[in-house]
Amino acid sequence: MTMAGVSVGLLGLAIVASWWPSRAPGGAASAWVPPWCLLLVAAVLAGLIGGVLSWPALLPLAGFMCLGWLTQEWARSRWPVVVFGAMALALALHAFPWFQRVPVFEAVQLSAGAPSFALFASVDKALAGLGLLVWVCRRCSSLSEVITMLRATVPVLLLTVVAVLGLGVMSHAVHWDPKWPAQAPAFLAVNLLFTCVAEEAFFRGLLQARLTQALGASPLACWLPALVSAGLFGAVHLGGGWPLAVLAGVAGLGYAVAYARTRRIESAILTHVAVNATHFLLFTYPALA
């Protein structure tokens, strides 16, 4: 494995490790360094060696993480959250030229009648997702919370999968095509950790959550944040054309409802990856040409 691959693997582990308790067992927090932080440092070092990052990338990365820390220290001030969200968006949109996409597998035709598809791991987007997860997203912290979250999520998850892919079939964007290609494990891992986590952490864990908080007891808080996050999620997919944007908007509404029912980021992430995995494994991927 190349150092670029090592960097991607360590960054994926850092994202998983963000669910590890942020304080040391027994409350001895003074000398405690969260595992995600150690894995992030290792990923960055491997990335510098492997050419995934260049040295100037350390400046926006350090600034981003410091802003995230400030959102905790200055919880009553809005400006660190606003700037932090803007930095996360810039990272996710590849605004900084010092981060390289790492190829996971070369272009291959996964479905008859579909264009070839190549997979890349976007390190800057994954870093944005990690920072959002650590600093602003509300996550499950106990087994009982996980069980409660799953009970509320599963019905929305199933309905979202059926709605999105049903509309995809009706609009002739995809058709039934069950498969398990050799690229499936890599796709599922990268899509979960480098795509779904980052997108849900931003649109639901930051945007929807903060808008709900700002609306407080207003009747609008029940539905407006979900519609806004879903609409913006669809809008960012306009580059793929209106049909994709509409499907993404419907999917985004499902992710938003799942999050609204639980206020836990895992709910939106699970619903998102369920849609993407079902699309990849059971239908034309990425779409009919």
Side-chain angles (χ1 to χ4, degrees):
M1 181 182 291
T2 64
M3 289 303 293
V6 171
S7 178
V8 167
L10 288 170
L11 184 53
L13 288 175
I15 292 171
V16 173
S18 67
W19 272 270
W20 193 267
S22 58
R23 294 186 179 276
S30 59
W32 174 251
V33 179
W36 69 263
C37 189
L38 297 175
L39 288 164
L40 172 60
V41 170
V44 169
L45 290 175
L48 290 169
I49 296 170
V52 177
L53 300 85
S54 53
W55 286 101
L58 297 181
L59 183 60
L61 177 56
F64 175 63
M65 287 298 176
C66 287
L67 281 167
W69 177 78
L70 286 176
T71 65
Q72 308 293 302
E73 295 299 309
W74 298 351
R76 295 184 180 181
S77 178
R78 292 184 179 179
W79 77 262
V81 177
V82 173
V83 180
F84 180 66
M87 281 285 292
L89 186 61
L91 283 167
L93 295 178
H94 320 301
F96 302 103
W98 310 299
F99 300 87
Q100 304 300 319
R101 294 196 307 167
V102 178
V104 178
F105 57 76
E106 297 180 355
V108 60
Q109 188 177 39
L110 296 166
S111 301
S116 297
F117 173 75
L119 182 64
F120 295 86
S122 297
V123 171
D124 43 3
K125 185 173 181 176
L127 289 167
L130 175 61
L132 289 165
L133 270 180
V134 168
W135 300 119
V136 302
C137 290
R138 191 173 181 182
R139 290 157 285 161
C140 293
S141 58
S142 66
L143 180 58
S144 62
E145 283 191 21
V146 171
I147 293 171
T148 301
M149 179 273 297
L150 289 174
R151 286 174 176 168
T153 300
V154 169
V156 180
L157 182 155
L158 295 175
L159 182 60
T160 303
V161 169
V162 171
V164 173
L165 292 166
L167 286 172
V169 171
M170 292 171 60
S171 63
H172 305 289
V174 297
H175 62 62
W176 181 251
D177 181 33
K179 57 190 174 301
W180 182 268
Q183 298 82 5
F187 172 86
L188 295 173
V190 171
N191 190 259
L192 169 61
L193 297 175
F194 283 63
T195 301
C196 296
V197 165
E199 293 178 1
E200 294 312 307
F202 180 80
F203 285 101
R204 259 56 70 175
L206 175 64
L207 182 63
Q208 184 175 337
R210 295 291 172 158
L211 184 54
T212 301
Q213 184 181 42
L215 290 172
S218 168
L220 296 176
C222 296
W223 54 270
L224 184 59
L227 287 180
V228 170
S229 72
L232 291 175
F233 186 74
V236 300
H237 289 81
L238 278 171
W242 278 102
L244 176 61
V246 170
L247 287 174
V250 173
L253 184 59
Y255 310 153
V257 171
Y259 180 78
R261 284 170 60 89
T262 65
R263 305 295 184 206
R264 297 294 186 275
I265 195 60
E266 293 90 349
S267 184
I269 293 171
L270 288 174
T271 307
H272 194 157
V273 76
V275 170
N276 289 358
T278 304
H279 178 193
F280 183 84
L281 296 175
L282 297 182
F283 293 86
T284 312
Y285 199 89
L288 289 170

